[in-house]
Amino acid sequence: MEALQMLFSGFALALEPSNILMAALGAFVGTMVGVLPGLGPTSAIAILLPLTAVLPPTQAIIMLAGIYYGAMYGGSSTAILLNIPGEVASVPTCLDGYPMAQQGRGGPALGIAAIGSFIAGIMGIVALTFFAPLFAEQALKFGPPEYFALMLLALTIVVSLGGASISKALAMGFFGYLLSLIGLGTMTNMPRLTFGSTSLWGGLDVISVVIGLFAISEVLNGIEEKKIAISMGNIGSVFPGLKDLKQSIKSIFRGGALGFFMGLLPGCSPAVTTFLAYDLEKKCSKTPERFGKGAIEGVAAPESANNATSSAGFIPLFALGIPASPPLAVLLGGLMIYGLTPGPLLFEQNGDFVWAVIASMFIGNVMCLVLNLPLVGLWAKLTQIPYGILAPIILLISIVGAYTVRNDMFDVLVALIFGVLGYFMNKFNWPVVPFIICFILGPMLERSLLQSFGMAFENPFIFFQRPISLTLLVATGIFLVISIKLRRRTQSRIDNSGFEVK
């Protein structure tokens, strides 16, 4: 009841005109940032951080937080309609969202993405309101051994999302992990696999790789197929119908719950949780063969997980001062500029500020929904633009997106190279998803493994001596068995139906 009273007092502050304006501005800028590949919420928050010099703390943090969760909404638009993930977290959305757009169902896909993001975002904020200190204390129990076991669990996705050939999936996963090692060593800071090039010291940027594998390769495929437009059929209803909502509601809650609990862990970004949510949804489905061909659940689950993870990240930030992701690390800098030290005392000493920000997140999520739903019809019409006009625009957006990550033409070259690689991967049925998963998880897996050995003086049994890591390792084995059985069941149904799976 005390939390509820504080929340009501927070709403009294958040509903002041100046704070509503800041929430609306943050939601709008965040949505636009999410649509543009490469820019991302981290860069946007960093660019606008100097505004903290002229704005009161409540207004500034409300705006910066709005940019963060607004970007989670916006990233689905280009992922669904153009196969361009605005953020790495939007990659799983491409897997079913883009096939839906090709089938003339881009409107319902965008609608369910916005609705799922809204519901999951509200779920996360409610949990933030009532359980912040409790969840934050539990998250502290995760050390390097637990993270290593968690990354192994996440890698079981490679089996279930690897396409028809398990050998190709494993080969692509190994290739992705190998390329993730390029750059300075995790613990030694010594160059490796750089072949004398200083441009490779920073490693291959994941945004550039994703833009190449999805956006640029799709343009090359479209040129080869002499595509007239992404979708030639009628757009139809731009909002999901009752059937779509009924199919998606469980996916939304499953994805939201998974995203929230994973989002409590520092370093477990939406890029990880969205893949886990997509894989979980495929495992729970009675018709897993539909995934990758336009299953609306494949859009609802990762988008819900994405927004829930973003909301959950504020719990360790406010309660413990631990940023769970790069955008929240920049936001932490904004708090420190104002002399607001996150931690248990923040709620006691600056309660009005904290509860105003939390209340503004409810308002901001409503604004994001209101902002995104009316634009669904407009965005959906993009799929009917002649491909001869749309393809150069996609290439331009992709190149600009790759460049803006680090303001380096080398990243553009990386995107173009991976665009060609992605084209040949699609042409010869080599799965892209295992590559992306291992490329993202590789550095996290290596870092947690080396830190674990450092803690235990190279004793490998440390993973079996800690209850949480042991539980996760057992879960990894169970999920692996389930994934293999699921593959066999899916392949059997596909063989009987006569479909071809890449």
Side-chain angles (χ1 to χ4, degrees), residues 199-349:
S199 298
L200 288 172
W201 279 22
L204 300 177
D205 184 76
V206 66
I207 292 289
S208 301
V209 172
V210 165
I211 287 175
L213 288 176
F214 285 87
I216 296 176
S217 68
E218 185 59 35
V219 170
L220 297 177
N221 287 329
I223 293 172
E224 183 188 35
E225 296 168 4
K226 297 181 180 178
K227 190 180 289 185
I228 300 173
I230 291 175
S231 172
M232 293 301 297
N234 293 325
I235 293 175
S237 172
V238 296
F239 295 110
L242 288 176
K243 181 182 177 183
D244 292 327
L245 289 171
K246 186 177 179 181
Q247 282 182 307
S248 304
I249 192 66
K250 290 182 180 179
S251 307
I252 289 171
F253 282 101
R254 273 194 293 261
L258 175 67
F260 175 78
F261 287 109
M262 296 293 289
L264 296 172
L265 306 176
C268 198
S269 67
V272 177
T273 59
T274 51
F275 275 108
L276 286 171
Y278 184 90
D279 182 56
L280 175 64
E281 203 53 42
K282 187 175 180 181
K283 285 183 169 70
C284 292
S285 175
K286 295 179 180 179
T287 54
E289 65 274 8
R290 292 170 46 246
F291 283 74
K293 301 186 182 71
I296 197 165
E297 304 98 305
V299 175
E303 283 301 310
S304 301
N306 190 4
N307 229 48
T309 302
S310 306
S311 300
F314 284 91
I315 292 179
L317 178 68
F318 284 158
L320 299 170
I322 300 174
S325 62
L328 291 178
V330 181
L331 197 61
L332 174 63
L335 292 171
M336 302 301 284
I337 289 173
Y338 283 113
L340 299 168
T341 304
L345 294 179
L346 183 66
F347 284 83
E348 294 181 15
Q349 297 176 351

Side-chain angles (χ1 to χ4, degrees), residues 72 92 129 176 408 466:
M72 300 301 107
T129 302
D408 192 346
R466 296 165 68 105

Side-chain angles (χ1 to χ4, degrees), residues 113-477:
I115 292 169
S117 294
F118 172 74
I119 293 174
I122 294 298
M123 286 169 54
I125 300 167
V126 169
L128 168 63
T129 302
F130 295 101
F131 306 110
L134 174 64
F135 284 138
E137 289 176 10
Q138 296 303 312
L140 282 179
K141 295 180 180 179
F142 265 70
E146 286 75 22
Y147 275 104
F148 176 77
L150 183 63
M151 292 305 105
L152 283 183
L153 177 63
L155 285 175
T156 61
I157 302 172
V158 171
V159 177
S160 56
L161 301 184
S165 171
I166 186 66
S167 57
K168 285 184 176 181
L170 293 175
M172 290 302 295
F174 177 75
F175 183 44
Y177 176 71
L178 186 66
L179 292 189
S180 75
L181 298 177
I182 293 175
L184 299 179
T186 303
M187 305 295 283
T188 63
N189 257 2
M190 295 295 292
R192 59 187 184 186
L193 301 177
T194 57
F195 305 102
S197 172
T198 54
S199 298
L200 288 172
W201 279 22
L204 300 177
D205 184 76
V206 66
I207 292 289
S208 301
V209 172
V210 165
I211 287 175
L213 288 176
F214 285 87
I216 296 176
S217 68
E218 185 59 35
V219 170
L220 297 177
N221 287 329
I223 293 172
E224 183 188 35
E225 296 168 4
K226 297 181 180 178
K227 190 180 289 185
I228 300 173
I230 291 175
S231 172
M232 293 301 297
N234 293 325
I235 293 175
S237 172
V238 296
F239 295 110
L242 288 176
K243 181 182 177 183
D244 292 327
L245 289 171
K246 186 177 179 181
Q247 282 182 307
S248 304
I249 192 66
K250 290 182 180 179
S251 307
I252 289 171
F253 282 101
R254 273 194 293 261
L258 175 67
F260 175 78
F261 287 109
M262 296 293 289
L264 296 172
L265 306 176
C268 198
S269 67
V272 177
T273 59
T274 51
F275 275 108
L276 286 171
Y278 184 90
D279 182 56
L280 175 64
E281 203 53 42
K282 187 175 180 181
K283 285 183 169 70
C284 292
S285 175
K286 295 179 180 179
T287 54
E289 65 274 8
R290 292 170 46 246
F291 283 74
K293 301 186 182 71
I296 197 165
E297 304 98 305
V299 175
E303 283 301 310
S304 301
N306 190 4
N307 229 48
T309 302
S310 306
S311 300
F314 284 91
I315 292 179
L317 178 68
F318 284 158
L320 299 170
I322 300 174
S325 62
L328 291 178
V330 181
L331 197 61
L332 174 63
L335 292 171
M336 302 301 284
I337 289 173
Y338 283 113
L340 299 168
T341 304
L345 294 179
L346 183 66
F347 284 83
E348 294 181 15
Q349 297 176 351
N350 304 98
D352 290 345
F353 161 79
V354 173
W355 290 107
V357 172
I358 292 174
S360 76
M361 292 169 69
F362 284 98
I363 299 169
N365 268 271
V366 174
M367 287 180 173
C368 285
L369 184 67
V370 171
L371 183 66
N372 280 270
L373 282 181
L375 293 175
V376 164
L378 177 64
W379 292 129
K381 289 180 181 178
L382 287 174
T383 61
Q384 295 190 324
I385 295 176
Y387 205 70
I389 297 173
L390 192 60
I393 295 174
I394 293 174
L395 278 176
L396 178 62
I397 293 173
S398 301
I399 290 171
V400 171
Y403 178 77
T404 54
V405 177
R406 297 187 291 195
N407 296 325
D408 192 346
M409 285 301 296
F410 177 76
D411 290 325
V412 176
L413 178 62
V414 169
L416 294 173
I417 291 172
F418 276 92
V420 175
L421 280 175
Y423 165 75
F424 283 109
M425 287 177 188
N426 290 327
K427 191 175 182 67
F428 296 104
N429 296 342
W430 285 82
V432 174
V433 174
F435 173 89
I436 290 292
I437 292 170
C438 292
F439 185 80
I440 294 171
L441 297 182
M444 301 169 68
L445 184 76
E446 180 192 12
R447 187 183 307 111
S448 56
L449 176 64
L450 293 177
Q451 288 174 344
S452 298
F453 280 154
M455 287 172 55
F457 303 101
E458 300 186 3
N459 177 15
F461 294 103
I462 185 174
F463 303 107
F464 304 97
Q465 294 168 348
R466 296 165 68 105
I468 297 178
S469 60
L470 177 60
T471 302
L472 289 171
L473 288 175
V474 172
T476 299

